[in-house]
Amino acid sequence: MDRELLEKNARFLVSPGRGILAADESNGTMSNRLEAVGVEASSETRRAYRANLFSTEGYESAISGVILFDETIRQTMKDGTPIPSELSNRGILPGIKVDTGAKELANHEGEKITEGLDGLRERCSEYFAMGARFAKWRAVIRIDAGLPTKACITTNAHALARYSAICQEQGLVPIIEPEVLMDGDHDARRCYEVTAEILDATFSECESQGVHIPGALLKPNMIIQGNDCENQISREEVANLTVECLTNHVPHDLPGIVFLSGGQSDEDATAHLNLMNKMTQEHPWELSYSYGRALQADALRKWAEDTEDSDISSQAAFLHRAKMNSLARFGDWSQDLET
Ligand code: 13P
């Protein structure tokens, strides 16, 4: 394992004022998102939409890394430049989603286990040769009556650690993503308990399997109530509970935490991150973003109105959100900057 390379790239990904763009939606998910805005889904429309984002002027000041899907890492920009080279030329690290999706967990109705360990070593080696320097694996944890089960927690934690160990062996910084979903009517306290449980299990597995924590990043959910919960907590409470939970359940030698947005509104995702970075309390890790929807939703709506590789209004929408989140890295965002 090249510890120096892993640590250098992990720190680069969370360097001041920058974060990650998660553009690694699977073909199925990306197709659904395109169809939802009235665009026919195909390999070409998925390419054109993303190539438009990746050619935005100046976004590299707010984006240190972009997570790609297998289809995209093999595609090119309009002028034929391979997408990983386009990103590297701008000083952005290309990343790759390496899990093959969350599948039904046998004997545990309503729960999922993320697959993709078979052949992972060979795929990581190929992606490294294509320019990727970090990877992502997403585990999905659902809260409901009696859920999550121990089986769901332990199997997903084990898989996250096995994935991380293989990535590091192959020179890729693993982004460890145990996502506790916002679906359901649970309150923020329950989200806290379940998040603490999956974090403890994941880092315990990482320790057993020799994962080098200073060469990895964590991509967690924030501590927030379910979408159908009547008791909505304030932005300040989300920020405080999230930092408290992470402080008590994440190793302090991890270089950075890059949150997912998970279905929060664009502005909530920015505001929560901003409040955490504004706290006077010192955090042992960088607190940053690896947003998918919260960076892209508006840009995608605008692109659907004019599906070109050089759609300025879509790029402006993406650049605006990237800049708002960049400011939130320093606690410098405020609501009036949104208008
Ligand atoms: P969202 O920010 O849309 O939750 O996506 C982040 C991600 O990469 C989920 O795996």
Side-chain angles (χ1 to χ4, degrees):
M1 180 197 316
D2 185 343
R3 289 173 184 237
E4 212 174 298
L5 175 78
L6 295 168
E7 289 177 25
K8 182 181 87 163
N9 285 337
R11 283 199 307 268
F12 179 87
L13 287 166
V14 291
S15 49
R18 298 171 92 198
I20 296 171
L21 165 66
D24 61 316
E25 300 84 358
S26 65
N27 287 348
T29 301
M30 193 65 231
S31 297
N32 289 341
R33 298 219 171 129
L34 286 168
E35 280 161 8
V37 293
V39 177
E40 195 180 324
S42 66
S43 174
E44 175 49 23
T45 51
R46 292 190 290 269
R47 187 206 65 76
Y49 163 68
R50 284 163 168 153
N52 183 58
L53 283 185
F54 303 156
S55 52
T56 301
E57 201 59 51
Y59 73 107
E60 51 274 10
S61 65
I63 301 292
S64 54
V66 175
I67 317 175
L68 303 168
F69 188 62
D70 180 77
E71 178 182 67
T72 322
I73 200 169
R74 301 171 194 281
Q75 289 179 321
T76 62
M77 303 295 286
K78 201 180 190 173
D79 66 3
T81 308
I83 284 177
S85 310
E86 171 73 19
L87 298 174
S88 308
N89 293 343
R90 289 174 179 268
I92 294 172
L93 286 186
I96 182 76
K97 172 191 174 77
V98 296
D99 68 69
T100 56
K103 310 286 164 57
E104 300 302 315
L105 178 63
N107 294 332
H108 294 83
E109 205 183 327
E111 296 196 294
K112 306 247 187 204
I113 175 70
T114 301
E115 296 188 346
L117 290 169
D118 290 353
L120 182 59
R121 174 173 284 126
E122 294 72 23
R123 287 190 292 123
C124 285
S125 160
E126 184 193 7
Y127 291 136
F128 187 93
M130 294 171 87
R133 290 295 176 269
F134 71 104
K136 178 186 116 172
W137 177 289
R138 172 175 177 253
V140 184
I141 312 295
R142 188 158 81 87
I143 299 179
D144 204 346
L147 303 188
T149 61
K150 250 271 104 28
C152 178
I153 295 285
T154 56
T155 49
N156 276 294
H158 184 82
L160 279 165
R162 280 196 63 199
Y163 138 81
S164 300
I166 292 172
C167 282
Q168 290 191 329
E169 179 199 85
Q170 297 301 317
L172 300 177
V173 173
I175 294 190
I176 302 169
E177 181 177 3
E179 176 174 3
V180 177
L181 296 175
M182 282 173 70
D183 300 342
D185 62 3
H186 56 274
D187 61 14
R189 237 331 115 186
R190 182 81 185 115
C191 174
Y192 187 118
E193 286 165 12
V194 172
T195 303
E197 195 183 347
I198 184 67
L199 289 175
D200 286 347
T202 301
F203 286 111
S204 157
E205 279 291 344
C206 284
E207 190 178 357
S208 316
Q209 298 186 38
V211 175
H212 181 54
I213 296 297
L217 296 172
L218 174 71
K219 177 162 172 167
N221 51 282
M222 296 182 194
I223 303 301
I224 198 162
Q225 70 283 330
N227 288 323
D228 301 327
C229 176
E230 281 169 13
N231 184 17
Q232 304 275 319
I233 61 172
S234 67
R235 285 175 169 175
E236 285 72 18
E237 284 172 294
V238 171
N240 289 335
L241 287 174
T242 302
V243 168
E244 183 191 314
C245 184
L246 296 173
T247 302
N248 294 331
H249 300 279
V250 176
H252 290 193
D253 57 345
L254 186 85
I257 290 178
V258 292
F259 291 102
L260 57 94
S261 59
Q264 299 178 47
S265 74
D266 297 356
E267 286 184 22
D268 277 349
T270 305
H272 290 144
L273 181 65
N274 188 64
L275 284 165
M276 289 184 229
N277 278 312
K278 228 176 152 164
M279 286 176 181
T280 45
Q281 174 195 340
E282 287 279 316
H283 310 303
W285 353 257
E286 294 291 329
L287 290 177
S288 186
Y289 47 93
S290 175
Y291 294 157
R293 284 162 287 182
L295 278 169
Q296 293 185 62
D298 201 23
L300 176 61
R301 272 191 297 273
K302 296 221 162 65
W303 186 77
E305 292 162 13
D306 180 14
T307 54
E308 288 296 318
D309 264 18
S310 53
D311 179 52
I312 306 291
S313 67
S314 170
Q315 292 180 341
F318 168 52
L319 190 61
H320 173 71
R321 288 266 43 91
K323 287 197 163 159
M324 294 298 101
N325 286 300
S326 171
L327 288 171
R329 290 282 328 266
F330 303 108
D332 286 342
W333 172 85
S334 62
Q335 189 74 52
D336 53 307
L337 296 171
E338 293 289 350
T339 44

Short mmCIF file of all heavy atoms in Angstrom, two decimals, residues 21-25 33 67 97 99 136-139 177 179 219 259-264 269 290-296, ligand 1:
data_model
loop_
_atom_site.label_atom_id
_atom_site.label_comp_id
_atom_site.label_asym_id
_atom_site.label_seq_id
_atom_site.Cartn_x
_atom_site.Cartn_y
_atom_site.Cartn_z
N LEU A 21 -17.84 16.66 -6.47
CA LEU A 21 -19.10 16.54 -7.23
C LEU A 21 -19.36 15.05 -7.44
O LEU A 21 -18.54 14.35 -8.05
CB LEU A 21 -18.95 17.24 -8.59
CG LEU A 21 -20.05 16.89 -9.63
CD1 LEU A 21 -21.42 17.40 -9.19
CD2 LEU A 21 -19.69 17.46 -11.01
N ALA A 22 -20.49 14.56 -6.93
CA ALA A 22 -20.88 13.17 -7.16
C ALA A 22 -21.71 13.12 -8.45
O ALA A 22 -22.88 13.52 -8.46
CB ALA A 22 -21.68 12.63 -5.98
N ALA A 23 -21.06 12.70 -9.54
CA ALA A 23 -21.74 12.60 -10.84
C ALA A 23 -21.71 11.15 -11.29
O ALA A 23 -21.54 10.85 -12.48
CB ALA A 23 -21.05 13.52 -11.86
N ASP A 24 -21.86 10.25 -10.32
CA ASP A 24 -21.69 8.81 -10.58
C ASP A 24 -23.01 8.06 -10.57
O ASP A 24 -23.05 6.87 -10.28
CB ASP A 24 -20.77 8.22 -9.51
CG ASP A 24 -21.35 8.38 -8.11
OD1 ASP A 24 -21.86 9.47 -7.80
OD2 ASP A 24 -21.33 7.39 -7.34
N GLU A 25 -24.10 8.75 -10.86
CA GLU A 25 -25.39 8.06 -10.90
C GLU A 25 -25.27 6.89 -11.89
O GLU A 25 -24.70 7.04 -12.98
CB GLU A 25 -26.49 9.02 -11.38
CG GLU A 25 -26.69 10.26 -10.52
CD GLU A 25 -25.75 11.41 -10.85
OE1 GLU A 25 -24.88 11.25 -11.73
OE2 GLU A 25 -25.86 12.47 -10.21
N ARG A 33 -33.47 10.37 -14.02
CA ARG A 33 -33.39 11.82 -13.77
C ARG A 33 -33.57 12.59 -15.08
O ARG A 33 -34.21 13.64 -15.10
CB ARG A 33 -32.05 12.18 -13.11
CG ARG A 33 -31.93 11.49 -11.76
CD ARG A 33 -31.30 12.31 -10.67
NE ARG A 33 -31.47 11.57 -9.42
CZ ARG A 33 -30.52 11.30 -8.55
NH1 ARG A 33 -29.30 11.74 -8.76
NH2 ARG A 33 -30.79 10.62 -7.45
N ILE A 67 -16.76 12.23 -8.96
CA ILE A 67 -16.97 10.78 -8.98
C ILE A 67 -17.73 10.43 -10.26
O ILE A 67 -18.77 11.03 -10.56
CB ILE A 67 -17.78 10.27 -7.78
CG1 ILE A 67 -17.33 10.94 -6.48
CG2 ILE A 67 -17.65 8.74 -7.66
CD1 ILE A 67 -18.19 10.57 -5.26
N LYS A 97 -17.16 5.25 -9.04
CA LYS A 97 -18.05 4.41 -8.20
C LYS A 97 -17.72 2.97 -8.53
O LYS A 97 -17.78 2.57 -9.70
CB LYS A 97 -19.50 4.71 -8.58
CG LYS A 97 -20.54 3.79 -7.95
CD LYS A 97 -21.88 4.05 -8.65
CE LYS A 97 -22.97 3.09 -8.23
NZ LYS A 97 -23.53 3.42 -6.92
N ASP A 99 -18.95 0.15 -6.49
CA ASP A 99 -19.92 -0.88 -6.09
C ASP A 99 -20.85 -1.14 -7.27
O ASP A 99 -20.94 -0.34 -8.20
CB ASP A 99 -20.69 -0.47 -4.83
CG ASP A 99 -21.62 0.71 -5.05
OD1 ASP A 99 -22.63 0.54 -5.76
OD2 ASP A 99 -21.35 1.81 -4.52
N LYS A 136 -15.66 5.21 -4.71
CA LYS A 136 -16.82 5.32 -3.81
C LYS A 136 -17.58 4.00 -3.74
O LYS A 136 -17.71 3.30 -4.75
CB LYS A 136 -17.77 6.40 -4.31
CG LYS A 136 -19.02 6.55 -3.47
CD LYS A 136 -20.00 7.53 -4.07
CE LYS A 136 -21.28 6.81 -4.46
NZ LYS A 136 -22.34 7.71 -4.87
N TRP A 137 -18.07 3.69 -2.56
CA TRP A 137 -18.93 2.50 -2.35
C TRP A 137 -20.02 2.96 -1.39
O TRP A 137 -19.73 3.44 -0.30
CB TRP A 137 -18.09 1.38 -1.72
CG TRP A 137 -18.81 0.11 -1.37
CD1 TRP A 137 -19.70 -0.10 -0.36
CD2 TRP A 137 -18.63 -1.17 -2.01
NE1 TRP A 137 -20.09 -1.41 -0.32
CE2 TRP A 137 -19.46 -2.09 -1.32
CE3 TRP A 137 -17.86 -1.63 -3.08
CZ2 TRP A 137 -19.52 -3.44 -1.67
CZ3 TRP A 137 -17.93 -2.98 -3.43
CH2 TRP A 137 -18.75 -3.87 -2.73
N ARG A 138 -21.27 2.79 -1.80
CA ARG A 138 -22.39 3.28 -0.98
C ARG A 138 -23.18 2.12 -0.39
O ARG A 138 -23.69 1.27 -1.13
CB ARG A 138 -23.31 4.13 -1.86
CG ARG A 138 -24.62 4.55 -1.21
CD ARG A 138 -25.36 5.49 -2.15
NE ARG A 138 -26.65 5.90 -1.64
CZ ARG A 138 -27.82 5.45 -2.11
NH1 ARG A 138 -27.85 4.56 -3.09
NH2 ARG A 138 -28.95 5.90 -1.60
N ALA A 139 -23.26 2.11 0.94
CA ALA A 139 -24.13 1.15 1.63
C ALA A 139 -25.40 1.90 2.02
O ALA A 139 -25.34 3.09 2.33
CB ALA A 139 -23.42 0.62 2.87
N GLU A 177 -19.03 5.14 2.33
CA GLU A 177 -20.34 5.80 2.39
C GLU A 177 -21.41 4.89 2.98
O GLU A 177 -22.04 4.11 2.26
CB GLU A 177 -20.78 6.26 0.99
CG GLU A 177 -22.13 6.98 1.02
CD GLU A 177 -22.58 7.52 -0.34
OE1 GLU A 177 -21.89 7.30 -1.34
OE2 GLU A 177 -23.65 8.15 -0.37
N GLU A 179 -24.87 5.20 4.07
CA GLU A 179 -25.95 6.21 4.06
C GLU A 179 -27.17 5.73 4.83
O GLU A 179 -27.83 4.76 4.44
CB GLU A 179 -26.37 6.54 2.62
CG GLU A 179 -27.55 7.53 2.62
CD GLU A 179 -27.97 8.04 1.25
OE1 GLU A 179 -27.39 7.60 0.23
OE2 GLU A 179 -28.89 8.88 1.20
N LYS A 219 -18.11 9.41 3.86
CA LYS A 219 -19.22 10.15 3.27
C LYS A 219 -20.50 9.76 4.01
O LYS A 219 -21.18 8.80 3.64
CB LYS A 219 -19.32 9.81 1.78
CG LYS A 219 -20.48 10.47 1.06
CD LYS A 219 -20.27 10.45 -0.44
CE LYS A 219 -21.50 10.93 -1.18
NZ LYS A 219 -21.25 11.22 -2.59
N PHE A 259 -19.89 15.12 3.14
CA PHE A 259 -21.30 14.72 3.31
C PHE A 259 -21.99 14.45 1.99
O PHE A 259 -21.66 15.04 0.95
CB PHE A 259 -22.06 15.84 4.02
CG PHE A 259 -21.67 16.01 5.45
CD1 PHE A 259 -20.83 17.03 5.84
CD2 PHE A 259 -22.15 15.13 6.42
CE1 PHE A 259 -20.46 17.19 7.16
CE2 PHE A 259 -21.78 15.28 7.75
CZ PHE A 259 -20.93 16.31 8.12
N LEU A 260 -22.98 13.56 2.04
CA LEU A 260 -23.93 13.40 0.94
C LEU A 260 -25.10 14.34 1.22
O LEU A 260 -25.30 14.76 2.36
CB LEU A 260 -24.41 11.94 0.86
CG LEU A 260 -25.05 11.34 2.10
CD1 LEU A 260 -26.56 11.47 2.08
CD2 LEU A 260 -24.67 9.90 2.26
N SER A 261 -25.87 14.68 0.19
CA SER A 261 -27.01 15.58 0.45
C SER A 261 -28.29 14.79 0.73
O SER A 261 -29.16 15.28 1.46
CB SER A 261 -27.20 16.58 -0.68
OG SER A 261 -27.42 15.98 -1.93
N GLY A 262 -28.43 13.61 0.16
CA GLY A 262 -29.47 12.67 0.59
C GLY A 262 -30.92 13.07 0.35
O GLY A 262 -31.82 12.49 0.95
N GLY A 263 -31.15 14.11 -0.46
CA GLY A 263 -32.53 14.53 -0.70
C GLY A 263 -32.88 15.81 0.05
O GLY A 263 -34.02 16.28 -0.01
N GLN A 264 -31.91 16.40 0.77
CA GLN A 264 -32.15 17.72 1.37
C GLN A 264 -32.29 18.74 0.23
O GLN A 264 -31.76 18.52 -0.86
CB GLN A 264 -30.94 18.17 2.20
CG GLN A 264 -30.59 17.29 3.37
CD GLN A 264 -29.34 17.82 4.09
OE1 GLN A 264 -29.23 19.00 4.38
NE2 GLN A 264 -28.42 16.94 4.38
N ALA A 269 -28.70 21.82 2.38
CA ALA A 269 -27.42 21.10 2.36
C ALA A 269 -26.26 22.09 2.54
O ALA A 269 -25.30 21.82 3.27
CB ALA A 269 -27.27 20.32 1.06
N SER A 290 -19.75 16.12 -0.80
CA SER A 290 -19.67 15.22 -1.95
C SER A 290 -21.11 15.08 -2.44
O SER A 290 -21.71 14.02 -2.35
CB SER A 290 -19.08 13.87 -1.54
OG SER A 290 -19.12 12.98 -2.64
N TYR A 291 -21.68 16.20 -2.86
CA TYR A 291 -23.09 16.25 -3.18
C TYR A 291 -23.36 15.81 -4.62
O TYR A 291 -22.58 16.11 -5.53
CB TYR A 291 -23.64 17.67 -2.98
CG TYR A 291 -23.65 18.18 -1.55
CD1 TYR A 291 -23.65 19.55 -1.29
CD2 TYR A 291 -23.67 17.31 -0.46
CE1 TYR A 291 -23.67 20.04 0.01
CE2 TYR A 291 -23.70 17.79 0.84
CZ TYR A 291 -23.70 19.16 1.07
OH TYR A 291 -23.72 19.65 2.35
N GLY A 292 -24.49 15.14 -4.78
CA GLY A 292 -24.97 14.79 -6.11
C GLY A 292 -26.10 15.74 -6.46
O GLY A 292 -25.92 16.76 -7.12
N ARG A 293 -27.30 15.43 -5.92
CA ARG A 293 -28.47 16.24 -6.25
C ARG A 293 -28.31 17.70 -5.85
O ARG A 293 -28.70 18.60 -6.59
CB ARG A 293 -29.72 15.64 -5.58
CG ARG A 293 -30.21 14.41 -6.28
CD ARG A 293 -31.13 13.59 -5.40
NE ARG A 293 -30.39 12.89 -4.35
CZ ARG A 293 -30.93 12.07 -3.46
NH1 ARG A 293 -32.24 11.87 -3.47
NH2 ARG A 293 -30.20 11.45 -2.57
N ALA A 294 -27.74 17.97 -4.66
CA ALA A 294 -27.66 19.36 -4.17
C ALA A 294 -26.71 20.22 -5.01
O ALA A 294 -26.73 21.44 -4.90
CB ALA A 294 -27.25 19.39 -2.70
N LEU A 295 -25.87 19.60 -5.84
CA LEU A 295 -25.04 20.40 -6.77
C LEU A 295 -25.62 20.42 -8.18
O LEU A 295 -25.31 21.31 -8.96
CB LEU A 295 -23.61 19.82 -6.83
CG LEU A 295 -22.64 20.20 -5.71
CD1 LEU A 295 -21.38 19.34 -5.76
CD2 LEU A 295 -22.25 21.68 -5.79
N GLN A 296 -26.44 19.43 -8.50
CA GLN A 296 -26.83 19.27 -9.90
C GLN A 296 -28.30 19.54 -10.23
O GLN A 296 -28.63 19.70 -11.41
CB GLN A 296 -26.58 17.82 -10.34
CG GLN A 296 -25.14 17.39 -10.39
CD GLN A 296 -25.07 15.99 -10.97
OE1 GLN A 296 -25.46 15.75 -12.11
NE2 GLN A 296 -24.59 15.05 -10.17
P1 13P B 1 -26.78 12.96 -3.05
O1 13P B 1 -25.95 14.16 -2.62
O2 13P B 1 -27.76 13.27 -4.13
O3 13P B 1 -27.35 12.24 -1.88
O4 13P B 1 -25.78 11.97 -3.77
C1 13P B 1 -24.58 11.72 -3.18
C2 13P B 1 -24.15 10.36 -3.55
O5 13P B 1 -23.17 10.20 -4.21
C3 13P B 1 -24.96 9.23 -3.08
O6 13P B 1 -24.23 8.05 -3.22
#
